[in-house]
Amino acid sequence: MRLALLGSTGSVGRQTLDVLTQLEGDWQVTALAAGRNVALLGEQARRFSPRVVCVAGPQEAEQLARLMPNPPFDVLHGPQGLLACAAHSGAERVVNALVGAVGLSPTLEALRAGIDVALANKESLVIGGELVQQALQRTKARLIPVDSEHSALWQLLAGRPADEVEKLLLTASGGALRAWPLERLERATPADVLQHPNWRMGARITVDSATLVNKAFELVEARWLFGVPLERIEAVLHPQSLVHGMVQLCDGSILAHVGVPDMKVPIRYALTAPLRRPLSSPRVRWEDLTLGFGAIDPKRYPAFGHVLQAARAGGTALAAANAADEVLAARFLHGEIPFTRIAAGIERALERHKPQPASVEAVLEADRFARELAARA
Ligand code: MG
């Protein structure tokens, strides 16, 4: 299989390449795209011999040229470079592990070119759900979820008639501060928040796990991936992160997907699906387990409600919520604002933003507006 990997130096990108080296069979990487981590991208390019490599801008392209004079691949940069990697590198499947709004257009471009997309870029569906859905209606290409919860639901729903499905349930670990007294949340430091109990992930998504913004985004993603209305998709707290997703059927039966929390498992399935390949990761030991579940407390997780409200508002509202969150989470990580200001800042951005019907331009404009507002909040 020929793969293009967008976002190769991030957490999911690096794990995707690890998985590839462990998989048997004929795998070829046709394109690697990354932003500013040119040194690691260079190493990856030496190892996987892509035809095309894409970096953030002309400066990074020069940096790569100094590192690798006369490279055996084309060097592209910027949004146009990403589109070329996605649709014109000869790939049969694109793994989109880009972080941010920049991931939307490559997803659309690949789908329009009839190429399957293994999707780890949240923004494609969070800010561009309607656009991606339109693209899917006009192509044979499929979206394959990479995220653990969506991979779980995708596996549970496979081939099941829509009228049998009553409800989708996604689990949330509750993040690093889930047991903190509410009045202490204001004083949580980046180091406190980055100690995620169950998953190893990038910094922003770990902050988004502590605010549950990530979970609200995941409900939105599930809506577009599976065509189930938001009112029938719920999140439930589950501190052990062993149950990843559940499907409640029309007779009250519930199917659950269970497995150890390791991103390499859903990444591997996104590459090999519909085939399943052996993996010698640790196994669930039922005799040692106590599983717990609980409701989401809106006082502890106010941002969860704000994002879902944006989802109901529709149009560009989620693009504004997402951009505000990205800026606020980064500012929290830099020690500029307290943890609790993330939720307050998202609420403020949504109060000020007037949602427009979704188009790529309108979505990017809402993104800019909320970004500027959140930078000053
Ligand atoms: Mg997830």
Side-chain angles (χ1 to χ4, degrees), residues 234-264:
E234 282 174 24
V236 60
L237 285 183
H238 169 47
Q240 294 81 17
S241 296
L242 286 163
V243 178
H244 305 304
M246 294 180 270
V247 174
Q248 185 170 310
L249 301 173
C250 56
D251 63 356
S253 301
I254 296 175
L255 309 179
H257 181 283
V258 184
V260 291
D262 177 355
M263 273 309 293
K264 286 194 182 146

Short mmCIF file of all heavy atoms in Angstrom, two decimals, residues 234-264:
data_model
loop_
_atom_site.label_atom_id
_atom_site.label_comp_id
_atom_site.label_asym_id
_atom_site.label_seq_id
_atom_site.Cartn_x
_atom_site.Cartn_y
_atom_site.Cartn_z
N GLU A 234 -23.38 10.59 23.14
CA GLU A 234 -23.08 11.03 24.50
C GLU A 234 -21.65 10.67 24.89
O GLU A 234 -21.07 9.75 24.34
CB GLU A 234 -24.03 10.35 25.50
CG GLU A 234 -25.40 10.97 25.54
CD GLU A 234 -26.36 10.20 26.42
OE1 GLU A 234 -25.88 9.47 27.33
OE2 GLU A 234 -27.57 10.32 26.19
N ALA A 235 -21.16 11.41 25.88
CA ALA A 235 -19.86 11.07 26.47
C ALA A 235 -20.10 10.64 27.91
O ALA A 235 -20.97 11.17 28.58
CB ALA A 235 -18.92 12.26 26.42
N VAL A 236 -19.32 9.67 28.35
CA VAL A 236 -19.43 9.21 29.73
C VAL A 236 -18.01 9.12 30.30
O VAL A 236 -17.08 8.74 29.59
CB VAL A 236 -20.19 7.85 29.80
CG1 VAL A 236 -19.48 6.78 29.00
CG2 VAL A 236 -20.40 7.40 31.23
N LEU A 237 -17.85 9.54 31.55
CA LEU A 237 -16.52 9.46 32.17
C LEU A 237 -16.19 8.00 32.44
O LEU A 237 -17.05 7.24 32.90
CB LEU A 237 -16.48 10.24 33.48
CG LEU A 237 -16.41 11.76 33.39
CD1 LEU A 237 -16.30 12.35 34.78
CD2 LEU A 237 -15.24 12.22 32.53
N HIS A 238 -14.94 7.66 32.17
CA HIS A 238 -14.48 6.29 32.39
C HIS A 238 -12.98 6.38 32.65
O HIS A 238 -12.19 6.40 31.70
CB HIS A 238 -14.81 5.44 31.16
CG HIS A 238 -14.17 4.10 31.16
ND1 HIS A 238 -14.17 3.27 32.25
CD2 HIS A 238 -13.46 3.45 30.18
CE1 HIS A 238 -13.51 2.16 31.95
NE2 HIS A 238 -13.06 2.25 30.72
N PRO A 239 -12.59 6.50 33.93
CA PRO A 239 -11.20 6.83 34.26
C PRO A 239 -10.18 5.82 33.75
O PRO A 239 -9.03 6.19 33.51
CB PRO A 239 -11.20 6.85 35.80
CG PRO A 239 -12.62 7.03 36.20
CD PRO A 239 -13.44 6.40 35.12
N GLN A 240 -10.54 4.58 33.53
CA GLN A 240 -9.54 3.57 33.16
C GLN A 240 -9.20 3.58 31.67
O GLN A 240 -8.22 2.96 31.25
CB GLN A 240 -10.01 2.16 33.56
CG GLN A 240 -10.13 1.94 35.07
CD GLN A 240 -11.42 2.50 35.66
OE1 GLN A 240 -12.38 2.78 34.94
NE2 GLN A 240 -11.46 2.68 36.97
N SER A 241 -10.00 4.25 30.84
CA SER A 241 -9.76 4.28 29.38
C SER A 241 -9.57 2.90 28.77
O SER A 241 -8.72 2.71 27.90
CB SER A 241 -8.54 5.15 29.03
OG SER A 241 -8.76 6.48 29.37
N LEU A 242 -10.34 1.93 29.22
CA LEU A 242 -10.25 0.58 28.63
C LEU A 242 -11.41 0.34 27.66
O LEU A 242 -11.25 -0.31 26.63
CB LEU A 242 -10.25 -0.48 29.73
CG LEU A 242 -8.91 -0.57 30.48
CD1 LEU A 242 -9.09 -1.32 31.78
CD2 LEU A 242 -7.86 -1.24 29.62
N VAL A 243 -12.59 0.86 28.02
CA VAL A 243 -13.71 0.87 27.08
C VAL A 243 -13.57 2.16 26.27
O VAL A 243 -13.50 3.24 26.85
CB VAL A 243 -15.06 0.86 27.82
CG1 VAL A 243 -16.22 0.92 26.83
CG2 VAL A 243 -15.18 -0.36 28.71
N HIS A 244 -13.47 2.05 24.95
CA HIS A 244 -13.23 3.24 24.14
C HIS A 244 -14.51 3.80 23.53
O HIS A 244 -14.64 5.00 23.33
CB HIS A 244 -12.22 2.93 23.04
CG HIS A 244 -10.96 2.37 23.60
ND1 HIS A 244 -10.22 3.03 24.55
CD2 HIS A 244 -10.33 1.19 23.39
CE1 HIS A 244 -9.18 2.29 24.89
NE2 HIS A 244 -9.22 1.17 24.20
N GLY A 245 -15.44 2.93 23.21
CA GLY A 245 -16.69 3.38 22.64
C GLY A 245 -17.75 2.31 22.81
O GLY A 245 -17.43 1.12 22.99
N MET A 246 -19.03 2.74 22.83
CA MET A 246 -20.13 1.79 22.95
C MET A 246 -21.25 2.19 21.99
O MET A 246 -21.46 3.36 21.73
CB MET A 246 -20.67 1.79 24.39
CG MET A 246 -19.66 1.25 25.40
SD MET A 246 -20.28 1.24 27.08
CE MET A 246 -19.77 2.86 27.65
N VAL A 247 -21.95 1.19 21.49
CA VAL A 247 -23.10 1.43 20.62
C VAL A 247 -24.31 0.80 21.28
O VAL A 247 -24.33 -0.41 21.56
CB VAL A 247 -22.88 0.82 19.22
CG1 VAL A 247 -24.14 0.94 18.39
CG2 VAL A 247 -21.71 1.51 18.52
N GLN A 248 -25.30 1.64 21.58
CA GLN A 248 -26.55 1.15 22.17
C GLN A 248 -27.54 0.89 21.04
O GLN A 248 -27.79 1.77 20.22
CB GLN A 248 -27.09 2.20 23.14
CG GLN A 248 -28.31 1.76 23.90
CD GLN A 248 -28.62 2.74 25.01
OE1 GLN A 248 -27.76 3.10 25.80
NE2 GLN A 248 -29.85 3.22 25.06
N LEU A 249 -28.09 -0.33 21.02
CA LEU A 249 -28.97 -0.73 19.93
C LEU A 249 -30.43 -0.59 20.32
O LEU A 249 -30.77 -0.36 21.49
CB LEU A 249 -28.65 -2.17 19.53
CG LEU A 249 -27.19 -2.37 19.09
CD1 LEU A 249 -26.89 -3.84 18.87
CD2 LEU A 249 -26.89 -1.58 17.83
N CYS A 250 -31.32 -0.76 19.34
CA CYS A 250 -32.74 -0.46 19.53
C CYS A 250 -33.41 -1.43 20.50
O CYS A 250 -34.51 -1.16 20.99
CB CYS A 250 -33.46 -0.43 18.20
SG CYS A 250 -33.28 -1.95 17.25
N ASP A 251 -32.77 -2.55 20.82
CA ASP A 251 -33.36 -3.46 21.81
C ASP A 251 -32.71 -3.28 23.19
O ASP A 251 -32.93 -4.09 24.09
CB ASP A 251 -33.24 -4.92 21.35
CG ASP A 251 -31.79 -5.37 21.22
OD1 ASP A 251 -30.87 -4.53 21.41
OD2 ASP A 251 -31.56 -6.55 20.92
N GLY A 252 -31.91 -2.21 23.34
CA GLY A 252 -31.29 -1.94 24.64
C GLY A 252 -29.95 -2.63 24.84
O GLY A 252 -29.25 -2.35 25.81
N SER A 253 -29.57 -3.52 23.93
CA SER A 253 -28.25 -4.15 24.03
C SER A 253 -27.17 -3.10 23.80
O SER A 253 -27.37 -2.17 23.02
CB SER A 253 -28.07 -5.23 22.96
OG SER A 253 -29.05 -6.21 23.10
N ILE A 254 -26.04 -3.26 24.46
CA ILE A 254 -24.92 -2.34 24.26
C ILE A 254 -23.68 -3.13 23.85
O ILE A 254 -23.30 -4.09 24.53
CB ILE A 254 -24.63 -1.54 25.54
CG1 ILE A 254 -25.84 -0.66 25.88
CG2 ILE A 254 -23.38 -0.68 25.37
CD1 ILE A 254 -25.72 0.09 27.19
N LEU A 255 -23.10 -2.75 22.71
CA LEU A 255 -21.83 -3.34 22.29
C LEU A 255 -20.71 -2.41 22.73
O LEU A 255 -20.81 -1.20 22.56
CB LEU A 255 -21.80 -3.49 20.77
CG LEU A 255 -22.98 -4.18 20.11
CD1 LEU A 255 -22.79 -4.20 18.59
CD2 LEU A 255 -23.15 -5.59 20.64
N ALA A 256 -19.66 -2.97 23.29
CA ALA A 256 -18.54 -2.14 23.75
C ALA A 256 -17.25 -2.59 23.09
O ALA A 256 -17.06 -3.77 22.82
CB ALA A 256 -18.41 -2.23 25.27
N HIS A 257 -16.38 -1.64 22.82
CA HIS A 257 -15.05 -1.95 22.29
C HIS A 257 -14.06 -1.73 23.43
O HIS A 257 -13.98 -0.64 24.00
CB HIS A 257 -14.73 -1.03 21.12
CG HIS A 257 -13.39 -1.29 20.51
ND1 HIS A 257 -12.21 -0.86 21.08
CD2 HIS A 257 -13.03 -1.93 19.38
CE1 HIS A 257 -11.20 -1.23 20.32
NE2 HIS A 257 -11.67 -1.88 19.28
N VAL A 258 -13.30 -2.76 23.76
CA VAL A 258 -12.41 -2.72 24.91
C VAL A 258 -10.98 -3.03 24.46
O VAL A 258 -10.77 -3.90 23.62
CB VAL A 258 -12.83 -3.78 25.96
CG1 VAL A 258 -11.98 -3.68 27.21
CG2 VAL A 258 -14.31 -3.63 26.32
N GLY A 259 -10.02 -2.32 25.03
CA GLY A 259 -8.62 -2.62 24.74
C GLY A 259 -7.72 -1.71 25.55
O GLY A 259 -8.16 -0.67 26.04
N VAL A 260 -6.44 -2.09 25.68
CA VAL A 260 -5.52 -1.25 26.44
C VAL A 260 -5.37 0.10 25.73
O VAL A 260 -5.45 0.16 24.50
CB VAL A 260 -4.13 -1.91 26.60
CG1 VAL A 260 -4.21 -3.11 27.50
CG2 VAL A 260 -3.54 -2.26 25.25
N PRO A 261 -5.19 1.19 26.50
CA PRO A 261 -5.03 2.50 25.86
C PRO A 261 -3.66 2.65 25.21
O PRO A 261 -2.68 2.94 25.87
CB PRO A 261 -5.23 3.51 27.00
CG PRO A 261 -5.02 2.75 28.26
CD PRO A 261 -5.23 1.29 27.97
N ASP A 262 -3.58 2.40 23.91
CA ASP A 262 -2.33 2.54 23.17
C ASP A 262 -2.71 2.98 21.76
O ASP A 262 -3.34 2.23 21.02
CB ASP A 262 -1.59 1.18 23.15
CG ASP A 262 -0.31 1.25 22.33
OD1 ASP A 262 -0.02 2.29 21.70
OD2 ASP A 262 0.42 0.24 22.31
N MET A 263 -2.31 4.20 21.40
CA MET A 263 -2.71 4.75 20.09
C MET A 263 -2.24 3.88 18.92
O MET A 263 -2.79 3.94 17.83
CB MET A 263 -2.13 6.17 19.92
CG MET A 263 -3.01 7.28 20.48
SD MET A 263 -4.71 7.20 19.89
CE MET A 263 -4.49 7.58 18.14
N LYS A 264 -1.19 3.07 19.16
CA LYS A 264 -0.69 2.27 18.03
C LYS A 264 -1.71 1.23 17.57
O LYS A 264 -1.68 0.80 16.43
CB LYS A 264 0.62 1.58 18.42
CG LYS A 264 1.74 2.58 18.46
CD LYS A 264 3.08 1.92 18.50
CE LYS A 264 4.14 3.02 18.58
NZ LYS A 264 5.29 2.63 19.36
#
